[in-house]
Each structure stands twice: as structure tokens, then as C-alpha cells.
Amino acid sequence: MYIGYMTQSKGQIEKLFMQYHQDMLRVAVMLLHDEEEAKDIVHDVFGRLLRGETLLREKSARAFLMTSVRNACLNRIRDARMQERAKRLYLLEAEVETTTTEQLEAESRLLLQGMERLYPPMCQKIVQMHFRDGQTFREISQRLGVSETTVYKHLRQALTQLRTYLNEQQNGEN
């Protein structure tokens, strides 16, 4: 047993449940916007206590329980976002697989044409260094002797120009 920590009996955990359950549930609902998922989180926290996976400090049980709920909610949100990203990537991959080689070559030519039109020339250089060579903003700024903010601004300007050019080409404008 750790100094300052206490092992919890089932009766102590029931007492903590009765005392803090509503507050914990309120925090979870506020973060997740889903009452059923919030209930699951709160019950998971108490389940870990019952199984002895978690030890409470004698004087800070409320803070620990509230923090545990908050962290569990944030983990659930992170996991949901990761699942959403994975779904989007899967859909993109499926979309790319249905794209023909000719379409990919045409899109690549169009992108290269757009890159050749980037102005000022620093934009083109930064895009190539970042996307083709995989350099970070810091590496680019050191190599070009400019600030990272300047690198970011040129990259943002270049991407805006590329989007505009590609949209114009897709809509049949020249």
C-alpha cells in the first residue's frame, strides 16, 4: 500500500458513488453531449475502483474522481476523432482506387501547372521544400534565412493560389 493512498472497500466505494455520481455524470454529459456514453464513463471509473485498478488519495477523492471522468471523456473524444479520421481515409482510399490512371496523370499535370504559376517564386520553392522534400517549417526557414512565420505565410498563399487555379480549371476557365 502506498503512503497517502487507501485501499477501498466495497462500502467505501458505494459511499463515494452516492456522494459524487451526479457531479461526475454532469461533467461527463457536458463533455460528451451524450448521456448514455457519460453513464458508461462514470461506471467505468467506479469499476476500476472496485477491481482495485485505481487507488484513491484519502484527502482528494472528489478531485481524483472528477479528473478521472474528465480524462476518460477526453480519451473517448480522441478515440472517436481517430475513428472518424480512419473512416475518412478509408473512403478517400476507396475513391482513389476507383480513379483511373489517366485521371491521376491529368490531375498531376494540372497540379504541376498550377505550381509553375505560383507567385512570388518563394511560394513555389517553399511548397516544393515542404511537400516534395518533407522539410519542416523550421528547416525551410533556416535554409532560406527567413522566419517560420514567413514560411507559413508563403505556404498559405501558395495553397490558396493552387486551390483557385484548380477550381478554375475544373470549372472550364483558363
Side-chain angles (χ1 to χ4, degrees):
M1 181 163 72
Y2 301 101
I3 297 174
Y5 290 86
M6 62 178 191
T7 56
Q8 299 85 31
S9 69
K10 189 174 181 180
Q12 289 170 319
I13 293 172
E14 286 176 4
K15 182 180 174 187
L16 290 171
F17 182 86
M18 298 304 287
Q19 191 173 2
Y20 298 119
H21 177 263
Q22 286 302 318
D23 291 340
M24 293 167 68
L25 186 61
R26 205 172 299 117
V27 167
V29 168
M30 186 174 65
L31 290 170
L32 298 174
H33 306 288
D34 182 334
E35 191 166 343
E36 291 304 312
E37 201 167 2
K39 286 178 183 177
D40 289 345
I41 293 284
V42 172
H43 290 151
D44 287 347
V45 169
F46 281 106
R48 286 194 305 274
L49 284 173
L50 282 169
R51 290 186 301 274
E53 296 172 14
T54 306
L55 295 175
L56 284 174
R57 290 182 70 81
E58 294 178 41
K59 296 183 180 181
S60 61
R62 183 181 193 287
F64 176 82
L65 292 171
M66 299 304 271
T67 301
S68 294
V69 166
R70 183 201 65 200
N71 291 343
C73 289
L74 294 177
N75 288 341
R76 183 78 52 103
I77 291 167
R78 180 200 63 214
D79 293 346
R81 285 182 180 156
M82 287 174 59
Q83 286 176 349
E84 184 60 34
R85 282 188 204 142
K87 284 179 190 175
R88 276 190 265 138
L89 287 173
Y90 176 76
L91 292 174
L92 277 174
E93 185 177 303
E95 185 178 307
V96 167
E97 287 176 3
T98 61
T99 305
T100 66
T101 304
E102 291 173 3
Q103 288 172 316
L104 290 174
E105 288 174 358
E107 290 172 2
S108 295
R109 280 193 303 273
L110 196 58
L111 185 59
L112 288 173
Q113 289 171 356
M115 285 181 59
E116 290 171 359
R117 296 172 181 246
L118 292 176
Y119 185 82
M122 178 75 78
C123 287
Q124 184 177 4
K125 187 171 201 157
I126 289 173
V127 166
Q128 289 173 349
M129 291 173 81
H130 186 65
F131 291 108
R132 185 189 65 199
D133 303 338
Q135 295 180 23
T136 65
F137 287 7
R138 175 168 283 142
E139 292 169 334
I140 295 168
S141 72
Q142 290 171 348
R143 291 212 167 109
L144 298 179
V146 297
S147 71
E148 288 182 50
T149 303
T150 300
V151 171
Y152 170 78
K153 287 180 181 178
H154 278 290
L155 189 58
R156 187 181 65 201
Q157 180 182 1
L159 293 175
T160 300
Q161 289 178 40
L162 282 172
R163 275 189 212 102
T164 301
Y165 177 75
L166 294 173
N167 284 336
E168 288 171 354
Q169 296 305 309
Q170 285 178 340
N171 294 328
E173 300 173 15
N174 287 327

